[in-house]
Amino acid sequence: MLQIRDLTYRIEGKPLFRGANATINDGERVGLVGRNGTGKTTLLNLIAGEAQPDQGAVVATGGFRIGRLRQEAPNGPESLLDTVLAADEERTRLLQEAETATDPERIAAIHTRLNDIGAHSAHGRAARILAGLGFSEAAQQRPCAEFSGGWRMRVALAALLFAAPEILLLDEPTNHLDLEAALWLEGYLKAWQGTVILVSHDRDLLNSIPHKICHLEQGQLTLYQGGYDRFERTRRERLERQRHMAEQQEAERKRIQAFVDRWRANANRAKQAQSRLKMLQRMEPIAPIVEDKPVRFDFPQPDQLPPPLIAMDTVAVGYEPGRPILSKLNRRIDQDDRIALLGQNGNGKTTLARLIADRLQPLSGTVTKPSELRVGYFAQDQADELDFQATPFQHMAKALPHAEPTTVRNHLGRFGFSGEKAEMRVGSLSGGEKARLLFALMTRHAPHLLVLDEPTNHLDIEARQALIEALNDYDGAVILVSHDPHLLSLVADRLWLVNDGTVETWDGDLEAYKRFLLESGRAERAQQRRAES
């Protein structure tokens, strides 16, 4: 059992938690939700013992091992498989001891314990976890250092799952996963026997995995039964009841105060007035409802262009002459298109997005587009290009050099940067706020086409919902690369599958694609198990 008791924690004097309490039972899977900046990651630090409370305590009874998904990816010369195997520290220690032990009783005890923890099947379990996260058998034998940061974060996740701690702490585990790997992880966590505390902005994952939702708001923790949709509904009903009770109480206060004001100077009624005044003083005030200001996105509407916006004729695209990533592209994009790009990481989705956004030129073939076409491009690593010492206003003024300050501020206001927010240093903004600034910058000229490559990685659930609504109100074309199924299902009406070096139309819907991925994954894992036996 994990108990959070009267937890108070401050950062630079600002209270992040104020007497917070929560109890998580053994084997429960809990989704931890709240606006960006409310302290979700800090709470995981406190649970893991990486930070200490100012007051109160976080107690894991029973001596359970706590496992945390680290933000530092492994980067050594060891193979992926060896890196994952080393995560089971007890198995590693026992195997090392077995090589030097001489006492027969100790040798027997070591082998008994190795058998108890399933050491004989460790290679197979580690390989299956890596395969589920997208690593082929050949890739599993390569050194960690050969892989990019995103792929090495998958190795870190694989190592954590293999170690199988009793309490598993996951902070945005799908950020570096494509849809295929995210679906595998969802199935794996559903079968997890221990306790899971999951921080995620993936609505589908939060509906599928948790038994409970723990909501972090105004320094307090509130537990709700069920997944995210049920939490939202229950919380909305609770807030409505609280609002209604507060209105009733205020009306009663006014009625009593009116009686007191009318009769307190009357000798015959003064005693009654005094009694009611005491009643008023004893009335416990109902806490006012304090809700965060809603996140806002408001894309400017473009003028209409004659179709098509983009037409590709036998196009090949890549980064080196003679070595195309994608070829034989015959695609058309119109202004009313909402297209999601599907396919495993590394198959070329970002390459296609860059081609459409005119950030990459074709190696061969023809791309035709109107000369007036304006494209807004959101790249997943674009936040690194922001000047952290400048303000949102300075960024936008530089991007709109001939615009009046009022025009600059009005456009920033479309994305929540009004007043003091427009004058804050970018370095002090949260990841979600930086993403909103990028949306503001990319839409400053009212583009006809938005190309969005993983636009939700740093957005909380409320901001993701605001993005969905803004995209559905937008009159231009949208190209989406995302591992967020909720976003794809509510925005995209066409699906393109990037696979085997080309792009084809996926004729089914997103649910059919998910079923296809799950069936393909099961077939591959069954084949791997047969090869191991």
Side-chain angles (χ1 to χ4, degrees):
M1 179 184 294
L2 181 68
Q3 291 185 309
I4 299 169
R5 304 172 184 161
D6 297 319
L7 175 65
T8 296
Y9 185 79
R10 301 175 182 86
I11 294 180
E12 297 180 354
K14 176 186 174 184
L16 208 54
F17 300 98
R18 293 186 291 266
N21 292 277
T23 298
I24 298 172
N25 297 313
D26 297 345
E28 283 186 335
R29 301 193 298 266
V30 177
L32 180 59
V33 303
R35 282 281 182 91
N36 283 346
T38 54
K40 299 185 296 295
T41 297
T42 300
L43 184 58
L44 295 189
N45 292 340
L46 290 161
I47 293 171
E50 296 170 5
Q52 297 304 314
D54 295 324
Q55 291 175 292
V58 180
V59 180
T61 58
F64 291 138
R65 290 178 302 127
I66 298 176
R68 172 88 185 270
L69 180 58
R70 304 287 174 184
Q71 295 306 309
E72 315 85 50
N75 193 26
E78 298 81 11
S79 71
L80 305 191
L81 189 60
D82 287 341
T83 301
V84 172
L85 288 169
D88 187 338
E89 294 178 358
E90 182 183 11
R91 172 185 170 276
T92 301
R93 186 179 64 253
L94 289 172
L95 288 174
Q96 290 173 346
E97 188 180 353
E99 293 179 359
T100 58
T102 57
D103 179 61
E105 290 187 4
R106 180 56 188 159
I107 292 172
I110 290 171
H111 286 284
T112 299
R113 181 57 185 162
L114 286 170
N115 187 63
D116 290 343
I117 64 176
H120 64 285
S121 62
H123 279 79
R125 285 187 288 114
R128 283 193 292 274
I129 292 171
L130 283 166
L133 292 173
F135 294 100
S136 67
E137 188 175 348
Q140 294 175 25
Q141 305 304 321
R142 290 167 54 194
C144 275
E146 291 185 6
F147 292 85
S148 68
W151 283 98
R152 284 186 282 113
M153 283 306 301
R154 293 194 189 201
V155 180
L157 176 58
L160 178 61
L161 297 177
F162 176 74
E166 286 83 5
I167 299 177
L168 180 64
L169 307 180
L170 297 174
D171 193 351
E172 295 293 355
T174 60
N175 262 6
H176 300 283
L177 305 183
D178 51 26
L179 185 57
E180 291 84 343
L183 287 171
W184 176 88
L185 179 64
E186 180 181 324
Y188 197 87
L189 292 178
K190 280 182 179 179
W192 190 267
Q193 297 300 307
T195 301
V196 178
I197 301 177
L198 169 68
V199 175
S200 178
H201 296 141
D202 185 328
R203 193 183 190 107
D204 284 10
L205 197 67
L206 288 171
N207 275 321
S208 173
I209 300 302
H211 302 118
K212 294 179 179 178
I213 295 293
C214 183
H215 185 219
L216 203 172
E217 184 181 38
Q218 298 174 42
Q220 300 295 312
L221 298 169
T222 307
L223 284 164
Y224 294 80
Q225 293 290 334
Y228 189 83
D229 285 348
R230 183 175 171 184
F231 147 73
E232 241 188 8
R233 186 169 58 251
T234 305
R235 179 171 179 265
R236 189 164 52 246
E237 291 168 354
R238 182 178 65 81
L239 290 175
E240 284 302 318
R241 285 196 302 271
Q242 187 175 343
R243 183 178 288 111
H244 181 63
M245 290 167 62
E247 290 170 354
Q248 285 183 319
Q249 186 185 67
E250 184 60 26
E252 180 68 2
R253 280 180 175 278
K254 289 179 179 178
R255 187 186 68 79
I256 294 173
Q257 188 66 53
F259 182 93
V260 171
D261 293 343
R262 182 178 181 184
W263 298 110
R264 71 194 311 170
N266 185 299
N268 295 327
R269 307 291 293 272
K271 185 177 286 189
Q272 289 175 296
Q274 192 65 25
S275 174
R276 280 168 171 74
L277 187 59
K278 290 179 180 178
M279 183 190 304
L280 197 63
Q281 291 169 346
R282 288 195 301 267
M283 190 179 289
E284 282 287 333
I286 295 173
I289 295 171
V290 180
E291 294 190 75
D292 293 325
K293 186 177 179 181
V295 179
R296 181 186 176 199
F297 293 97
D298 183 10
F299 297 122
Q301 301 297 350
D303 55 317
Q304 294 295 308
L305 291 179
L309 294 185
I310 292 178
M312 305 178 198
D313 183 13
T314 57
V315 167
V317 61
Y319 302 92
E320 299 178 35
R323 300 185 64 181
I325 304 295
L326 301 171
S327 57
K328 301 178 182 177
L329 301 183
N330 294 285
R331 297 278 121 186
R332 170 186 171 133
I333 301 171
D334 294 321
Q335 195 157 339
D336 60 351
D337 276 336
R338 306 299 172 93
I339 301 169
L341 306 185
L342 307 177
Q344 290 184 331
N345 282 1
N347 279 8
K349 298 190 298 295
T350 293
T351 300
L352 179 59
R354 288 173 178 164
L355 173 70
I356 295 170
D358 204 25
R359 301 297 178 94
L360 196 59
Q361 297 305 307
L363 298 175
S364 62
T366 305
V367 178
T368 306
K369 62 186 73 171
S371 59
E372 308 94 332
L373 177 66
R374 298 186 298 274
V375 180
Y377 178 52
F378 184 101
Q380 51 185 308
D381 56 357
Q382 209 167 348
D384 297 336
E385 300 174 13
L386 294 172
D387 180 356
F388 281 23
Q389 299 304 313
T391 66
F393 179 83
Q394 289 169 333
H395 274 88
M396 190 57 64
K398 183 178 179 181
L400 295 171
H402 305 298
E404 295 292 328
T406 303
T407 302
V408 173
R409 291 190 182 279
N410 286 343
H411 185 67
L412 284 170
R414 289 173 174 265
F415 298 86
F417 292 99
S418 53
E420 294 179 358
K421 272 290 186 191
E423 302 298 342
M424 293 178 64
R425 286 192 314 106
V426 168
S428 65
L429 300 178
S430 69
E433 289 168 333
K434 291 187 184 80
R436 283 195 274 130
L437 177 56
L438 291 173
F439 284 128
L441 290 166
M442 66 177 273
T443 59
R444 65 191 184 276
H445 293 309
H448 304 93
L449 168 64
L450 296 179
V451 182
L452 307 178
D453 191 353
E454 298 293 359
T456 62
N457 272 357
H458 298 288
L459 300 183
D460 58 28
I461 292 180
E462 290 85 354
R464 291 184 183 208
Q465 190 61 37
L467 177 61
I468 289 169
E469 293 169 6
L471 289 174
N472 285 332
D473 289 338
Y474 169 66
D475 288 338
V478 177
I479 305 295
L480 268 175
V481 179
S482 177
H483 62 260
D484 185 342
H486 186 69
L487 174 72
L488 297 181
S489 63
L490 291 181
V491 174
D493 52 25
R494 296 178 63 195
L495 304 175
W496 288 359
L497 179 59
V498 183
N499 191 37
D500 291 334
T502 192
V503 180
E504 298 176 349
T505 299
W506 176 263
D507 292 327
D509 59 12
L510 193 61
E511 290 303 312
Y513 181 64
K514 287 183 182 180
R515 290 194 296 272
F516 165 75
L517 293 177
L518 291 171
E519 290 165 4
S520 300
R522 280 194 289 266
E524 289 176 9
R525 288 190 289 276
Q527 183 177 359
Q528 184 175 352
R529 283 193 292 272
R530 285 194 297 271
E532 291 170 358
S533 61

